[in-house]
Amino acid sequence: MRQVLKDNLALQGKVLFLTICAAGIGGTFQYGYNISIINAPTTYIQTFINETWLQRTGASLESGVILLVWSFIVSVYSLGGLTGALIAGPMAIKLGRKTSLLLNNVFVIIAAVLSGFSRMAKSFEMIMLGRFFIGINAGVSMNIQPMYLGESAPKKVRGAVTLTSASFTALGLVLGQVVGLRELLGGEESWPLLLASNVVPGLIQLITLPWLPESPRYLLIDRGDKESCIRALQKLRGNGDLSSELEEMLAEQAAIKGQRAKSPWELFQNPAVRWQLISIIVLSSAMQLCGNDSMYFYASYVFQEAGIPYDTIQYVIIGTGCCELITAVTCNAIIEHAGRRLLILGGYSLMAVWAIIFMVALSQQSQISWMPYLSMACIFAYILSFGIGPAGVTGVLPTEIFDQMSRPAAYMICGSLIWSNLFTVGMAFPFIVEGLAHFCYLPFFTVCVCTALYVGFFLPETKGKTLLEISNEFNKRNFKAQTCERFWKGPEEIKSTML
């Protein structure tokens, strides 16, 4: 009997692990990978843009125009991501979580073909279009992958399983930096192959994910297919007792009986999810407005000022990606012990501290010889603090604080904010640097402090709670005004009856 139990647990862990890997490698891995691979061939692509225009018109482009075209190539990724976030909700509802992830690889294949053959076709527009399509892929996967994993995981490890989305993002970031080295695919001749290399993880997902189960919650609550739900649970959990988990899902199904999937606009109109909505708006906005991605912008400059040789900087920058990967994996290990609230609160509080030190170090960099090393330490510390909580836990919360009918719309709102703010910060940051100079992190410091205060005062802990228990906690705040109103009306009603 004991051996059967061990075999059952081993099977459960194996299938869940394979589901995590198959969803992640073609999911949020692509987001991190495609953010980092575009950095290595910057100079080569800018040269290609100029040479292509020269062949077409017989005239060279001005440096400002080349920079503008290059900026659009980089930023169109965010516009694609926004598009992906907007279509992810309808896809998840109509096609299911797993099928949506599989079909999402069509965008990867299109992007790889466009980028891979761009030099052969002498068209930098193909790179732009390819970046847009890979952005759509990233926008879809960043919404649907955590939804799929959160609905497939048992309650006791739901946070850790959903948080693997952040680990795969960090893994993609690091591997993109490694593959982009000049010795590998970051050279002058191989950059089209580098941009097309994102097709590999997409193909891996297409081969592996079809063998794994669909989200049990989607099968039962959205499609009403109890038999398929039980089969999916048996694949994920083994042949143990599924009655308590099935009972919880049936209770949620009964609670939302007769309802259809909500649209984002309906969430804004629904007072029963007011504080859930405020929470994801604050945290999703802070994800990009906290300035973590801008630290990568400063990395080369700070490392150069610290005396690191130019040819070596590309290897040191890999260390920044490794920081995010280490903290994402660490967060996976401790989230079920520390809880969600503490990790987010601690992450933003530490980032606020490092932002102050970083600005002081930047302002004194030319006067004090060891200040560049302090700036360098702040970059690593800031990225570590972001990775320990905000980077991953933010993606977990919509799964835990919204019911099955509201969850896709909630992820659409989250994704739209993340991608819109990524685009905004990318466009605005050079002007912020120009206007505030060494104090350019003051706006990001303000965002970190305000977010930490919000989490400290208003966000409840969700660790180890069922979706109905979490909803009840939010309802205490959502309907607080009505409760108070009823309380104060009570004495008047009593007085009128006495008269």
Side-chain angles (χ1 to χ4, degrees):
M1 183 67 182
R2 192 173 294 176
Q3 184 60 41
V4 172
L5 183 60
K6 284 183 179 178
D7 292 342
N8 187 49
L9 289 171
L11 177 63
Q12 172 186 342
K14 181 180 178 182
V15 175
L16 186 59
F17 176 75
L18 290 174
T19 302
I20 291 167
C21 292
I25 193 65
T28 52
F29 176 91
Q30 293 279 27
Y31 169 64
Y33 188 77
N34 288 288
I35 276 183
S36 58
I37 61 170
I38 197 66
N39 295 323
T42 298
T43 305
Y44 306 132
I45 294 177
Q46 289 180 352
T47 302
F48 169 66
I49 293 167
N50 192 40
E51 289 175 351
T52 302
W53 192 259
L54 182 62
Q55 289 177 0
R56 290 178 185 176
T57 66
S60 297
L61 288 171
E62 296 180 4
S63 59
V65 177
I66 294 173
L67 186 60
L68 181 64
V69 174
W70 168 248
S71 298
F72 189 73
I73 287 174
V74 174
S75 59
V76 78
Y77 180 66
S78 303
L79 298 179
L82 177 59
T83 305
L86 292 174
I87 66 172
M91 284 179 69
I93 295 165
K94 294 178 181 178
L95 303 175
R97 285 41 165 165
K98 187 180 86 168
T99 305
S100 296
L101 287 174
L102 288 169
L103 288 178
N104 192 33
N105 289 293
V106 172
F107 300 117
V108 178
I109 295 168
I110 294 171
V113 170
L114 287 169
S115 299
F117 289 100
S118 58
R119 186 168 61 184
M120 188 182 298
K122 295 181 171 53
S123 171
F124 57 82
E125 294 87 353
M126 288 174 67
I127 303 175
M128 289 183 191
L129 201 54
R131 290 289 291 174
F132 179 75
F133 276 110
I134 199 62
I136 295 176
N137 171 269
V140 170
S141 62
M142 284 183 71
N143 280 14
I144 296 181
Q145 182 186 331
M147 197 188 311
Y148 172 52
L149 295 179
E151 293 175 1
S152 301
K155 180 177 67 176
K156 62 183 179 181
V157 293
R158 185 179 59 215
V161 169
T162 310
L163 195 61
T164 58
S165 300
S167 299
F168 275 98
T169 298
L171 180 62
L173 191 72
V174 174
L175 288 184
Q177 290 171 335
V178 172
V179 174
L181 292 173
R182 286 186 293 271
E183 295 83 351
L184 296 177
L185 297 181
E188 187 172 2
E189 297 301 317
S190 55
W191 64 261
L193 194 59
L194 173 64
L195 297 184
S197 62
N198 50 31
V199 76
V200 175
L203 292 175
I204 293 173
Q205 185 178 76
L206 283 172
I207 294 169
T208 56
L209 191 58
W211 302 99
L212 297 162
E214 174 61 275
S215 155
R217 286 184 178 276
Y218 172 78
L219 292 171
L220 178 66
I221 300 174
D222 287 68
R223 288 176 47 181
D225 191 344
K226 187 176 178 180
E227 290 183 4
S228 295
C229 170
I230 292 172
R231 286 197 297 271
L233 278 174
Q234 287 172 341
K235 276 189 179 181
L236 288 163
R237 312 282 188 266
N239 294 317
D241 184 14
L242 304 174
S243 58
S244 61
E245 189 168 1
L246 193 59
E247 186 179 337
E248 180 202 329
M249 284 192 278
L250 288 169
E252 185 180 353
Q253 184 188 39
I256 58 178
K257 188 176 181 180
Q259 298 182 32
R260 57 175 179 78
K262 304 291 191 300
S263 69
W265 178 243
E266 287 174 314
L267 291 193
F268 282 106
Q269 293 178 311
N270 186 359
V273 294
R274 182 184 296 115
W275 280 97
Q276 291 96 314
L277 196 58
I278 292 171
S279 296
I280 65 164
I281 288 173
V282 169
L283 294 173
S284 298
S285 299
M287 272 277 288
Q288 298 299 343
L289 298 179
C290 69
N292 181 70
D293 288 341
S294 301
M295 278 292 176
Y296 291 101
F297 173 86
Y298 255 110
S300 294
Y301 164 72
V302 171
F303 294 155
Q304 196 169 349
E305 288 293 311
I308 297 173
Y310 178 77
D311 292 338
T312 311
I313 287 176
Q314 62 171 339
Y315 303 104
V316 180
I317 287 177
I318 294 174
T320 59
C322 289
C323 280
E324 200 161 324
L325 177 59
I326 291 167
T327 50
V329 173
T330 304
C331 192
N332 267 111
I334 65 174
I335 186 171
E336 297 301 344
H337 301 284
R340 288 62 159 154
R341 189 168 171 273
L342 178 62
L343 290 175
I344 300 177
L345 180 61
Y348 280 116
S349 299
L350 287 171
M351 288 164 71
V353 172
W354 299 125
I356 294 174
I357 299 173
F358 186 59
M359 288 186 288
V360 172
L362 284 177
S363 66
Q364 300 299 313
Q365 201 151 267
S366 57
Q367 282 80 31
I368 303 173
S369 60
W370 52 269
M371 276 296 171
Y373 299 99
L374 180 59
S375 301
M376 189 164 60
C378 285
I379 288 175
F380 284 102
Y382 202 89
I383 293 170
L384 284 166
S385 302
F386 178 74
I388 200 65
V393 181
T394 304
V396 174
L397 287 176
T399 297
E400 297 190 327
I401 66 178
F402 286 93
D403 63 34
Q404 194 77 7
M405 295 296 104
S406 302
R407 195 173 296 128
Y411 269 107
M412 287 174 67
I413 294 168
C414 285
S416 300
L417 288 169
I418 287 171
W419 288 101
S420 300
N421 287 319
L422 177 63
F423 180 79
T424 302
V425 171
M427 297 297 290
F429 187 63
F431 299 100
I432 294 173
V433 173
E434 186 178 345
L436 298 178
H438 300 310
F439 299 100
C440 58
Y441 257 68
L442 194 58
F444 303 136
F445 163 78
T446 305
V447 169
C448 290
V449 170
C450 292
T451 307
L453 290 172
Y454 178 85
V455 172
F457 285 108
F458 300 111
L459 187 70
E461 181 55 70
T462 59
K463 179 185 73 171
K465 296 175 182 175
T466 66
L467 297 173
L468 290 177
E469 288 171 343
I470 295 166
S471 294
N472 289 335
E473 282 212 37
F474 273 104
N475 283 340
K476 292 174 186 176
R477 190 174 294 278
N478 289 327
F479 298 108
K480 188 176 182 181
Q482 290 93 320
T483 304
C484 292
E485 188 178 346
R486 285 197 298 270
F487 174 79
W488 286 111
K489 279 183 179 179
E492 294 297 324
E493 290 170 354
I494 294 171
K495 184 179 179 181
S496 64
T497 56
M498 289 175 66
L499 293 173

